Amino acid sequence: MLNITDPNNFGRTLAGVSLIAAPVALAAGEVLRLTAFGGTSGELELLGAVDASPGLWQLMTVIDMIAVILLVPAVWGMIHLARGQSPVLAHVGGALAMVGVLGAAGHNIFGNVLTGGMAAVRDSHPVMETLVVEMEQTPGFLFALLMFIVGFTLGNIVLAVALLRARVIGRLPAGAIILSMLVFSNAGASLPLTLVASALLLVGMGATARSALSLSDAEWAGLTTGNHSPVPAPAGAVPLS
């Protein structure tokens, strides 16, 4: 039962719920982007499509930002679960994943918020197209994109290994997270690949959420103090030795 006055109960619940909600929001934003705007080729066509459906574009932008927000407690929850038994991998993977979340927020501003604003200037779409092309070649944009792609992908892969070594999740959920990152990074504008990657991520993070929510408040607190037993190993988990 949720108790917002108990930090351990609230933290455990927040992490568990976010681990489920974050991949759902991420998938919803990507599916909306590909179904509504995936058929465009080039920045000029995209600006025209956004101008024709500004409400859908703004909805996608909000969903993407909600996903970014939810990923913060989700990543924190994975670090918390794994750091007792696999501290190095948990912290390295968590740091990389957080960098990826920051990159995702920056990319959302560059790629979604600014595009929505530029599309609204209907008489200047050719000029805005040039602006977008030039902006996408600036070091700041490329760095934010690199933060997202490298940080988010590598971070979640390392966290999956940390969770497996800490016996928080088994081989299948850990493999699902790793495979989802690989598929996401190669999905591009492919809706089927995006759906597969989203499903895999939900399976992996969902299993992690189940482990978090199955702990008692005392067990969750013990993960912080170090006075704890390992999380009960799920089916498919491997021993530490």
Side-chain angles (χ1 to χ4, degrees):
M1 188 176 191
L2 177 62
N3 181 4
I4 61 174
T5 61
D6 184 339
N8 294 311
N9 180 279
F10 183 74
R12 179 175 61 84
T13 305
L14 177 63
V17 171
S18 297
L19 281 162
I20 298 171
V24 171
L26 187 63
E30 285 297 299
V31 170
L32 180 57
R33 176 180 68 85
L34 293 174
T35 53
F37 307 101
T40 59
S41 59
E43 296 297 336
L44 191 59
E45 282 192 22
L46 177 60
L47 289 171
V50 173
D51 183 37
S53 303
L56 284 177
W57 185 265
Q58 295 302 327
L59 176 62
M60 181 199 71
T61 300
V62 171
I63 292 174
D64 283 350
M65 289 308 295
I66 290 174
V68 168
I69 293 170
L70 290 170
L71 281 168
V72 174
V75 170
W76 167 76
M78 289 191 284
I79 297 171
H80 186 87
L81 285 165
R83 65 181 180 177
Q85 300 295 318
S86 188
V88 174
L89 289 177
H91 287 100
V92 170
L96 285 171
M98 285 297 187
V99 168
V101 172
L102 291 173
H107 184 264
N108 197 36
I109 293 172
F110 278 118
N112 292 356
V113 176
L114 291 181
T115 298
M118 288 186 288
V121 188
R122 298 178 179 176
D123 296 334
S124 302
H125 281 185
V127 176
M128 294 302 171
E129 178 191 22
T130 302
L131 177 60
V132 171
V133 172
E134 292 298 323
M135 181 185 67
E136 290 179 347
Q137 297 178 23
T138 61
F141 179 87
L142 294 175
F143 192 74
L145 183 61
L146 187 65
M147 285 171 60
F148 170 59
I149 294 175
V150 177
F152 190 70
T153 302
L154 290 182
N156 279 287
I157 289 174
V158 175
L159 276 174
V161 176
L163 290 167
L164 178 62
R165 285 180 55 83
R167 293 181 287 180
V168 175
I169 56 177
R171 291 186 183 93
L172 291 180
I177 294 176
I178 293 171
L179 188 56
S180 73
M181 292 297 103
L182 298 177
V183 176
F184 259 131
S185 63
N186 291 280
S190 172
L191 180 59
L193 286 179
T194 298
L195 291 173
V196 169
S198 300
L200 289 169
L201 186 61
L202 182 58
V203 168
M205 284 193 168
T208 309
R210 180 181 179 184
S211 293
L213 295 174
S214 67
L215 295 174
S216 67
D217 294 339
E219 289 171 329
W220 179 264
L223 295 173
T224 300
T225 62
N227 299 321
H228 68 284
S229 299
V231 178
V238 296
L240 294 177
S241 58

